[in-house]
Amino acid sequence: MNQQTQVRKFDKQAKKYERLQTKDPTSRYRKRIIPEASGKVLEVAVGTGLNFPYYNEVEEVIGIDFSSKMLDSARKVTHLHSFPIQLQQADVEEVNFEENQFDTIVSTLSFCSYENPVTLLNRFNRWCKPGGQILMMEHGKCTNRVLAWGQKQLDPLAYKMIGCHQDREISRFVVESDLEVHKFERALAGFLYFIWAKPNK
């Protein structure tokens, strides 16, 4: 799927995600990991800003997303938060940041759609400062065999309709990358992956 097609799919979903700003069913899971972010933060695939309420000890958040519609929704809520938020339209698989620039890199529910997830994780490794952290909350293949089978059957249609793979093994991507895993947890029959990682430098 080419980039423009992917962008259009996420542009169409922006209003749905904007409504989640007031009632987000994933909030309890975001609270599990996002508050650990600190310093200068890069949030990739920032979407409509659903993580913003859970940042605590941060200096600033730089949020990037390839969907202009998602960013338009995020801009509506930046004034509600005390820390600086900079939003930038960019494809995280193509954008270039200087090495050792961020204290924390955050990704939530975005690794379902990247073309080269391991390559992107290696970019995180370069962008994150020594001693920094990479925080991830992602969805992927369940540990339950029946559910995993269902995800595999659904995957082609889901990717075609909303640009989202259903059965990716997120932990495998991290293991294959240059990152060093600090902690790893799963929830909802293994559907949700929580990963605390560090740059390997």
Side-chain angles (χ1 to χ4, degrees):
M1 186 182 299
N2 66 50
Q3 185 197 56
Q4 289 305 313
T5 300
Q6 190 81 324
V7 170
R8 285 195 294 270
K9 291 182 184 300
F10 282 88
D11 278 348
K12 290 179 180 179
Q13 299 174 65
K15 288 298 180 184
K16 178 184 75 173
Y17 282 95
E18 183 174 330
R19 289 192 290 271
L20 296 179
Q21 290 170 342
T22 55
K23 191 175 183 180
D24 178 11
T26 66
S27 61
R28 60 179 290 199
Y29 301 107
R30 296 177 190 273
K31 291 176 184 177
R32 190 165 169 177
I33 192 166
I34 302 304
E36 297 189 31
S38 61
K40 183 178 181 180
V41 177
L42 171 66
E43 183 177 340
V44 302
V46 68
T48 60
L50 297 181
N51 286 328
F52 293 166
Y54 311 113
Y55 287 116
N56 289 328
E57 303 298 324
V58 299
E59 297 172 8
E60 65 175 321
V61 173
I62 297 171
I64 65 172
D65 203 295
F66 62 16
S67 167
S68 62
K69 300 296 185 183
M70 290 281 190
L71 292 174
D72 287 344
S73 296
R75 289 188 181 96
K76 296 177 182 179
V77 296
T78 55
H79 70 283
L80 300 175
H81 307 285
S82 60
F83 49 88
I85 300 173
Q86 297 182 36
L87 299 176
Q88 175 184 348
Q89 186 177 2
D91 184 342
V92 68
E93 292 193 87
E94 296 182 1
V95 71
N96 289 312
F97 290 109
E98 295 180 4
E99 292 187 12
N100 306 325
Q101 187 172 353
F102 301 102
D103 298 290
T104 305
I105 298 177
V106 170
S107 172
T108 55
L109 307 178
S110 68
F111 268 75
C112 58
S113 61
Y114 298 130
E115 291 294 323
N116 299 290
V118 175
T119 300
L120 179 56
L121 289 170
N122 289 339
R123 301 186 89 192
F124 289 180
N125 190 66
R126 295 195 302 272
W127 297 340
C128 193
K129 296 178 182 178
Q133 59 182 341
I134 294 90
L135 304 176
M136 301 173 64
M137 183 191 83
E138 305 292 344
H139 74 84
K141 185 177 180 179
C142 293
T143 50
N144 180 288
R145 291 183 179 180
V146 175
L147 294 177
W149 180 86
Q151 288 177 296
K152 184 176 181 179
Q153 304 310 306
L154 180 62
D155 185 70
L157 178 62
Y159 188 64
K160 180 179 179 180
M161 297 299 295
I162 60 175
C164 175
H165 287 292
Q166 300 298 301
D167 63 345
R168 285 187 158 179
E169 295 186 48
I170 305 299
S171 54
R172 178 174 60 82
F173 297 150
V174 181
V175 169
E176 291 178 0
S177 77
D178 294 334
L179 296 177
E180 178 183 332
V181 177
H182 177 62
K183 186 166 65 170
F184 174 64
E185 296 178 0
R186 293 175 79 169
L188 298 178
F191 175 76
L192 275 183
Y193 295 63
F194 299 89
I195 297 168
W196 293 256
K198 297 181 178 181
N200 189 357
K201 298 181 178 181

